[in-house]
Amino acid sequence: MSATETMAEPIAGDSELHPKQMTYEQFRAWANEDTHAEWVNGEVIEFMPPKNRHQMMLDFLSYLIKSFVDVFQLGVVRVAPLEVRVQPKGNAREPDLLFIANEHRERLTEDRVSGPPDLIVEIVSDDSVNRDRVAKFDEYEAAGVPEYWIIDNRPERQRAYFYQLNEAGQYRSITLDAEDVYRSRVLASFWLKVAWLWEEPPNALRAVAAVIGPERMAQALRDAANT
């Protein structure tokens, strides 16, 4: 299933800046740790710095998900910029946020993530609509990324899309429950109340307390202090 079959809204074109043609090896030699760019089909796409609203959402989601992952010792969470190649010879992407389960830790190397993360989250920017909702959707699906979230918190948007791979290796859109809560399959027992995403700003501490529970969080802090 392609993204165009699951998205009813029209897709706006991207406005990437200054594409450069080069090989992957040239891209690696050209880029540094401060470069915000992806290598796609032999072309380097540089991006504008993210806006405050984008970073506010990334801060919220990374704090919530990392807290959950750390408390239950499920794996590792990373945020951009970090190169990800979901296919060995595929494009070099920079997802906003990703989770790698303990059983797949070998995919996280010193230089990049080699192979599909267990969860990828992309936060939509004005220049990433088509990229996140079509190009990356298809790439992540084909590579077998088990779970993919697309969060669009731009003014007057406030839309969240959650996808999980089915048995045929295709993404299916996950419907929220009666309380507008999304429940992850990759992060067992993790849940997200979608209304939290649209608060100004989202309350990360409250979300952590709700999802993890104050007693379990306090116990994790006590255990950490005694190690």
Side-chain angles (χ1 to χ4, degrees):
M1 179 183 298
S2 70
T4 53
E5 294 176 304
T6 62
M7 302 295 185
E9 300 176 60
I11 304 296
D14 284 354
S15 57
E16 293 102 342
L17 303 177
H18 311 305
K20 298 178 175 66
Q21 297 287 336
M22 60 180 74
T23 66
Y24 176 72
E25 290 71 23
Q26 291 170 329
F27 168 66
R28 291 296 304 171
W30 167 81
N32 58 48
E33 292 185 0
D34 297 322
T35 302
H36 188 34
E38 295 180 339
W39 182 80
V40 181
N41 299 323
E43 183 174 275
V44 174
I45 308 298
E46 295 182 76
F47 306 128
M48 290 289 291
K51 296 180 180 179
N52 177 62
R53 182 175 293 272
H54 180 283
Q55 294 304 92
M56 179 177 67
M57 181 60 64
L58 181 57
D59 287 347
F60 170 75
L61 288 172
S62 60
Y63 184 87
L64 174 59
I65 295 173
K66 190 175 190 309
S67 296
F68 185 89
V69 167
D70 287 350
V71 165
F72 296 103
Q73 301 179 15
L74 301 177
V76 293
V77 174
R78 293 290 184 268
V79 298
L82 177 66
E83 180 187 341
V84 176
R85 299 190 84 182
V86 295
Q87 300 274 23
K89 300 296 184 180
N91 295 326
R93 296 293 192 177
E94 280 191 354
D96 288 310
L97 185 151
L98 62 89
F99 160 71
I100 299 176
N102 286 325
E103 56 266 33
H104 301 140
R105 276 179 179 262
E106 76 282 355
R107 298 176 187 175
L108 177 61
T109 71
E110 185 65 26
D111 295 324
R112 68 186 59 83
V113 176
S114 296
D118 294 275
L119 166 67
I120 288 180
V121 181
E122 297 284 9
I123 301 168
V124 175
S125 300
D126 290 337
D127 71 333
S128 76
V129 180
N130 189 72
R131 187 167 62 248
D132 293 338
R133 293 172 56 185
V134 178
K136 289 186 177 183
F137 181 103
D138 290 342
E139 286 180 31
Y140 297 161
E141 181 185 63
V145 176
E147 200 164 322
Y148 180 35
W149 306 0
I150 304 173
I151 309 298
D152 189 346
N153 71 324
R154 293 175 297 162
E156 302 180 3
R157 300 287 179 170
Q158 297 188 349
R159 296 179 177 89
Y161 307 95
F162 303 96
Y163 300 96
Q164 296 174 6
L165 284 181
N166 62 19
E167 293 180 356
Q170 297 177 325
Y171 278 140
R172 64 185 183 97
S173 179
I174 304 302
T175 303
L176 306 180
D177 68 15
E179 298 180 342
D180 286 337
V181 166
Y182 170 73
R183 299 186 184 279
S184 174
R185 186 173 64 188
V186 166
L187 299 170
S189 78
F190 177 90
W191 56 274
L192 173 68
K193 191 172 183 63
V194 172
W196 292 340
L197 301 174
W198 320 135
E199 295 176 348
E200 298 275 352
N203 190 324
L205 283 175
R206 185 188 64 188
V208 166
V211 175
I212 299 176
E215 293 182 5
R216 184 65 183 85
M217 192 69 193
Q219 183 60 52
L221 291 173
R222 287 192 292 269
D223 292 343
N226 293 326
T227 56

